[in-house]
Amino acid sequence: LRPFADADREAIYALQSDARVLRYWDSPPWTDPARADRFLATCRTMAEEGTGVRLAVDRAADDVFLGWCTLHDWNPTFRSASMGYCFTESSWGHGYATEAANALLEWAYGSLDLNRVHAEVDTRNPASARVLEKLGFVLEGTQREDCIVAGVVSDTWVYGLLRRDRVP
């Protein structure tokens, strides 16, 4: 995990414009390369304002960009945050998402004194749900027909992870 840099512009655009990667996402693939600049600016703003963090994930063996993880919507009063991630198709099935999200959670629970982290997954994406379950997240419910992207209506599973249930 590392902070994003301007040099990540092309890699983040390639990831976020990949229709297969974003088929279960809550927004369509990017078609404008300038979106990468806005993404990077949002990463900096989140960190500066203390509302969250979005970090690039590189493979340790060769520093190849694999995707990103985020903790956002930090609420110090409720000691809660939301987590998300997005990874290149070539990195799927290798445990990278689980490893990166686990490192982010370890930092978050230790440094931010969180009590709860929640995450949402499109119900058509069981692989992403398995990542959360491996991390100890518990399925808390289903939001029915809460997303419509490119005319496709989908449901969302809501997962939660409490500090006391955290699997190290």
Side-chain angles (χ1 to χ4, degrees):
L1 298 175
R2 63 170 175 79
F4 274 101
D6 288 340
D8 294 313
R9 184 177 292 110
E10 287 181 29
I12 197 64
Y13 179 72
L15 175 68
Q16 298 296 135
S17 62
D18 185 328
R20 279 199 37 87
V21 168
L22 296 185
R23 72 178 172 238
Y24 304 125
W25 210 249
D26 59 359
S27 61
W30 295 351
T31 56
D32 178 7
R35 291 284 306 268
D37 293 319
R38 293 194 297 275
F39 178 95
L40 295 170
T42 300
C43 292
R44 286 188 292 273
T45 301
M46 287 170 57
E48 290 165 4
E49 293 177 349
T51 58
V53 63
R54 190 182 294 148
L55 300 169
V57 178
D58 292 340
R59 187 170 42 221
D62 55 10
D63 294 327
V64 167
F65 175 80
L66 300 176
W68 54 268
C69 285
T70 185
L71 266 175
H72 56 95
D73 297 330
W74 290 344
N75 185 322
T77 303
F78 297 145
R79 294 175 40 221
S80 65
S82 297
M83 186 181 76
Y85 43 83
C86 186
F87 283 83
T88 61
E89 186 174 3
S90 64
S91 68
W92 297 349
H94 298 283
Y96 298 126
T98 304
E99 182 180 350
N102 188 56
L104 185 60
L105 288 167
E106 190 172 305
W107 169 79
Y109 278 103
S111 299
L112 302 176
D113 191 33
L114 293 179
N115 182 59
R116 173 185 166 75
V117 174
H118 97 271
E120 298 180 357
V121 177
D122 188 299
T123 58
R124 299 167 298 162
N125 191 354
S128 187
R130 279 193 302 278
V131 168
L132 296 174
E133 291 165 359
K134 284 189 260 182
L135 294 167
F137 279 79
V138 173
L139 178 62
E140 297 179 332
T142 302
Q143 295 178 347
R144 299 180 314 143
E145 297 185 8
D146 70 320
C147 280
I148 302 174
V149 177
V152 177
V153 178
S154 64
D155 298 341
T156 300
W157 286 320
V158 177
Y159 280 85
L161 178 61
L162 302 179
R163 172 186 288 279
R164 69 175 181 251
D165 298 332
R166 173 108 168 89
V167 178

